[in-house]
Amino acid sequence: MTEDNEKKMINRINELYHKKEKEGLSDEEEKEREKLHQEFIKNFRAGFKQDVENLVIIDKNGKEITSEKAKKAQRKKGLRKD
């Protein structure tokens, strides 16, 4: 999803939220709100997962302590050579 599309989605979610608070939503608008909300959550989770999988953790002594699960995901993506 492009940044522009994400902004449009967030703006529409906010519009629907404010309308819901002021006057309520029609069934069609409620379905649209739910669909947009689910899409937003899906994109957020995918981005968060990618951030976590790309994370390298170093302890205070300079030793890498990244989890094996994260290392495996990084190897699969070609980010690690070990």
Side-chain angles (χ1 to χ4, degrees):
M1 171 174 280
T2 67
E3 189 175 329
D4 190 45
N5 286 346
E6 185 175 0
K7 285 180 183 180
K8 287 178 184 177
M9 180 188 303
I10 291 169
N11 287 339
R12 182 63 180 152
I13 289 170
N14 287 333
E15 285 174 18
L16 292 169
Y17 169 78
H18 291 296
K19 183 176 181 189
K20 181 178 180 178
E21 291 294 307
K22 288 181 183 176
E23 59 195 75
L25 298 175
S26 68
D27 289 342
E28 201 172 286
E29 289 170 326
E30 185 59 40
K31 287 177 187 176
E32 178 187 6
R33 187 201 64 77
E34 182 62 29
K35 181 181 173 191
L36 289 171
H37 183 74
Q38 292 301 320
E39 179 83 16
F40 178 81
I41 296 295
K42 177 182 154 191
N43 292 337
F44 176 83
R45 286 179 178 159
F48 188 77
K49 180 179 178 186
Q50 183 176 354
D51 288 346
V52 169
E53 287 178 347
N54 292 339
L55 189 65
V56 175
I57 303 170
I58 308 293
D59 71 8
K60 64 182 177 180
N61 298 321
K63 182 180 176 192
E64 181 181 1
I65 56 172
T66 306
S67 73
E68 284 304 316
K69 186 176 180 180
K71 287 179 182 179
K72 184 178 176 182
Q74 292 166 359
R75 286 183 195 108
K76 188 175 180 180
K77 291 180 179 180
L79 301 173
R80 292 186 78 91
K81 299 196 185 333
D82 60 349

